Amino acid sequence: MSELDRTAVLNRSAVAALAAELRPVPAVQAAATGIVHLGLGAFARSHVFDFTADAVEAGGGDWGVLAVAPRSAATVAALRRQQLLSSVLIRGVAEDRIRVNGLLRDARCAAEEPAAVVAALADPAVRVVTLTITEAGYRVDPVTGVPRPDDAELANDLAALGRGIPDPDRVWRTAPGLLLAGLLARYRAGAAPVALVSCDNLVGNGAVLAAAVRGGAERIVAGAGDAARGGLLDWLADRVTFPDTVVDRITPASTEADREQAARLLGVRDEAVVVGEPYRQWAVVDDFPAGRPAWELAGVRLVDDVAPYSAVKLRLLNAAHSLLAEVGLLLGCETVAAALDRSVLADLAGRYLRSEAQPALDSPLDLTGYVETMLARFGHPRLAHRLDQIAVDGSQKLAQRIVPTIRVTGAGSRGLLVVAAWGVRCRRRVLAGVPLRDPRAAALAGAVTGADSAAGLLELLAPDLAADAGMRSALTERMAGLDRDPAGYLRSC
């Protein structure tokens, strides 16, 4: 490590001064862009780009990445200042290490350069499009499985595409709108096939992405007046695949202290550093019509079916995160590790996982070992994974993570405590005038302040459960107990 110069930033000129083990991976930058990634958040850089850099280092290929931020230009600007280099600060229990990623060939903000992003999506050299746009970004109703008909921004994007070739400088308000603009341009150009790869925490994330794209395309075709768009649906069926994936790496939000630590390890500043735990996992259905990076050389599991991995990840790991976030925030906790330090929360999480969520899963995997490893990861004392970061978009997350177990275990499920804590927390925010961070914020606010909050919450998450009088009664009782005395009520459960 060189002496820290606080005026020096990570860039390609600074690479020569780095120790050999700190130099970018891959060592030789890909000669061309083969991947467009939508969603330039921390998780993409700690997971998708990290695995792909290792794959290109080991297996070569023109798999450079164009990284696209849908709206925020701040990360794009930071990466450009650093000549597209950034690092992952891998936070161990005892010490940190750092890796510099040299995979990116370009970074763009779709809100500022929409024409360039659409052109990249249509480029035949791009054979894979990966996405980390969060559960809410797909604009698909989790109950019906189709694009939301009441989503005004999505409707506006699809209407513009249905009217013909849009203004190239049009700013797309939704990720499906942007993606469909690129796919429609690709279709018109007769371009090569492409794989669209969701890397978000959703059951059957490939199917959800397919629903967003195909459902949106159907609405485009319905509004089209020319025959060229009439073949779009057939083209999507024949030339575009949607592999399911399961991703896993705890990635807390980076802080100034993390940037200072990265600077100490590198000897230069990295304003785009992300933090990740040492553990990482990625399972992908191997369905890539135009090729892919040699991800298997980086430890990615290429499988025929990710369903066993997906169910375990969402209904154990992600469910436990949501439990700790929703209940922990009511108790004043700020991080996952701090929540687990509270015996009442550690006991609740352990009992929920071992006696409800785990038995409710029919899985060929070693669930007992998975749960114990997972709880050890959660207790990482130096990984400040914030509960408020986890709790965003609860209407999307709880429907995927908690509801399936409630369906198996019934009205006595501890999963209802998670729903109850979510409802109480959201009601308090609404009454305090604090905006809800949820794609269904208006409906959620109405539900938690309505005459029958339990029915309203269940209607948002799972209408079939809302029809169950016993379920409504149990949720009402839990909400009252948590609202009155969260710690005391939990001790009595």
Side-chain angles (χ1 to χ4, degrees), residues 415-438:
L416 273 186
L417 282 170
V418 185
V419 179
W422 174 57
V424 169
R425 186 178 61 81
C426 289
R427 181 165 58 204
R428 290 178 178 179
R429 289 176 68 90
V430 171
L431 294 178
V434 179
L436 298 176
R437 298 176 63 191
D438 194 285

Side-chain angles (χ1 to χ4, degrees), residues 140-234:
V140 170
D141 188 306
V143 176
T144 65
V146 299
R148 289 199 180 94
D150 59 348
D151 188 314
E153 290 185 324
L154 178 62
N156 189 270
D157 278 353
L158 298 179
L161 291 166
R163 288 192 294 267
I165 299 174
D167 178 351
D169 293 322
R170 186 186 195 282
V171 175
W172 302 98
R173 302 301 299 171
T174 68
L178 173 63
L179 185 55
L180 280 161
L183 289 171
L184 191 54
R186 193 178 186 97
Y187 162 67
R188 287 194 178 104
V194 64
L196 308 183
V197 188
S198 168
C199 301
D200 285 298
N201 282 316
L202 292 161
V203 175
N205 53 14
V208 173
L209 178 54
V213 170
R214 291 172 180 159
E218 288 170 0
R219 287 164 62 175
I220 292 170
V221 169
D226 62 84
R229 276 169 287 175
L232 176 62
L233 299 180
D234 290 339

Side-chain angles (χ1 to χ4, degrees), residues 32-36 62-64 66 116-129 182-195 235 239 289-292:
T33 297
I35 300 173
V36 170
D62 290 335
W63 295 109
L66 163 60
V117 175
V118 169
L121 290 168
D123 185 346
V126 171
R127 290 153 285 163
V128 174
V129 177
L183 289 171
L184 191 54
R186 193 178 186 97
Y187 162 67
R188 287 194 178 104
V194 64
W235 180 82
R239 308 286 278 174
R292 56 165 175 76

Side-chain angles (χ1 to χ4, degrees), residues 6 16 18 21 75 81 90 114 197 203 210-211 225 228 317 331 360 366 374 445 490:
R6 292 188 176 277
L18 297 179
E21 68 273 14
T75 302
R81 284 194 298 270
I90 301 170
V197 188
V203 175
L317 187 145
L331 296 181
D366 174 15
M374 178 190 77
L490 288 172

Side-chain angles (χ1 to χ4, degrees), residues 329-413:
L329 286 168
L330 279 186
L331 296 181
C333 302
E334 294 185 354
T335 68
V336 171
L340 279 177
D341 275 344
R342 296 285 294 269
S343 60
V344 67
L345 283 174
D347 181 60
L348 175 64
R351 284 184 292 151
Y352 173 76
L353 290 167
R354 297 184 182 104
S355 66
E356 294 185 29
Q358 183 178 332
L361 277 168
D362 180 14
S363 174
L365 304 180
D366 174 15
L367 300 187
T368 299
Y370 184 90
V371 167
E372 299 313 314
T373 299
M374 178 190 77
L375 290 173
R377 291 168 60 198
F378 283 10
H380 191 318
R382 300 180 63 245
L383 201 66
H385 198 185
R386 294 190 59 82
L387 298 180
D388 56 4
Q389 178 188 358
I390 297 167
V392 171
D393 298 341
S395 68
Q396 308 295 295
K397 291 176 177 177
L398 299 190
Q400 298 268 344
R401 302 174 178 190
I402 301 295
V403 166
T405 296
I406 294 175
R407 283 201 171 99
V408 176
T409 54
S413 174

